[in-house]
């Protein structure tokens, strides 16, 4: 890949990664306010899945990682996200996560289940291990959680 096409690919990946994170943040907010069947939530999840599918067209997985001070999407730092960074910081801290990985085969239904589990009010998961176990039980095989923390 030439230097110019590599730079263009990185800019496209950055823009798409930023868009995906912003959509995830908006979807999380909507799922906390409304039922999954609500038209706004359903549309938000569908749109989020479409953006994720675009990212997955270029890579077999999409990994969102939290380094403690910045978000990465497939290793590319995401900047200038404001409240979106705070949303993900809280999410990653709550479950003691290092990363969330979405696999190419993820369906809209799996993504909806992921959001439902993430925001459920009755018996919510308290740890990454509980969250991962619920994902397995609820048949959401294409979302993986990583609790490994690497020293800087």
């Amino acid at each position: 890949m030439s230097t110019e096409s590599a730079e263009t690919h990185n800019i496209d990946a950055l823009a798409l990664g930023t868009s995906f994170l912003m959509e995830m943040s908006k979807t999380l907010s909507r799922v906390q306010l409304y039922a999954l069947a609500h038209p706004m939530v359903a549309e938000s999840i569908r749109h989020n899945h479409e953006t994720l599918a675009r990212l997955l067209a270029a890579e077999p997985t999409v990994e969102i990682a939290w380094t403690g001070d910045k978000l990465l999407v497939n290793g590319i730092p995401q900047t200038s996200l404001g409240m979106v960074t705070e949303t993900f910081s809280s999410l990653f801290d709550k479950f003691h996560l290092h990363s969330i990985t979405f696999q190419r085969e993820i369906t809209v239904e799996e993504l909806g289940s992921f959001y439902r589990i993430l925001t459920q009010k009755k018996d919510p998961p308290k740890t990454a291990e509980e969250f991962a176990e619920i994902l397995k039980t609820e048949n959401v095989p294409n979302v993986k959680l990583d609790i490994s923390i690497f020293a800087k």
Side-chain angles (χ1 to χ4, degrees):
M1 187 181 291
S2 73
T3 304
E4 186 176 312
S5 63
E7 287 175 10
T8 301
H9 173 75
N10 285 344
I11 290 169
D12 292 345
L14 175 63
L16 203 51
T18 298
S19 178
F20 178 62
L21 292 176
M22 293 174 76
E23 290 170 16
M24 275 191 79
S25 181
K26 180 168 62 171
T27 303
L28 279 168
S29 296
R30 287 181 173 177
V31 170
Q32 290 173 345
L33 294 173
Y34 307 106
L36 279 178
H38 190 282
M40 282 178 40
V41 174
E43 173 66 19
S44 198
I45 291 170
R46 186 189 60 74
H47 193 259
N48 199 206
H49 184 265
E50 288 172 0
T51 303
L52 178 57
R54 288 175 55 205
L55 281 164
L56 288 167
E59 303 286 340
T61 62
V62 170
E63 178 187 63
I64 301 171
W66 175 244
T67 66
D69 62 349
K70 69 179 96 153
L71 280 167
L72 307 172
V73 174
N74 284 351
I76 300 172
Q78 306 295 304
T79 58
S80 304
L81 292 173
M83 292 298 294
V84 172
T85 301
E86 290 180 33
T87 297
F88 281 93
S89 170
S90 296
L91 170 69
F92 279 78
D93 290 346
K94 176 180 178 181
F95 294 107
H96 307 286
L97 294 172
H98 169 68
S99 67
I100 301 170
T101 302
F102 299 93
Q103 297 176 324
R104 186 172 281 158
E105 297 78 14
I106 191 166
T107 64
V108 173
E109 293 77 18
E110 282 181 89
L111 192 58
S113 293
F114 167 75
Y115 283 115
R116 181 183 48 74
I117 295 163
L118 189 61
T119 59
Q120 69 187 23
K121 290 172 180 48
K122 183 181 178 193
D123 298 324
K126 293 173 184 61
T127 65
E129 291 84 357
E130 284 182 26
F131 193 174
E133 188 58 37
I134 294 170
L135 287 172
K136 201 179 297 181
T137 303
E138 296 284 327
N139 197 26
V140 184
N142 294 303
V143 177
K144 306 293 182 199
L145 307 177
D146 183 0
I147 58 172
S148 302
I149 304 297
F150 302 98
K152 292 183 182 183

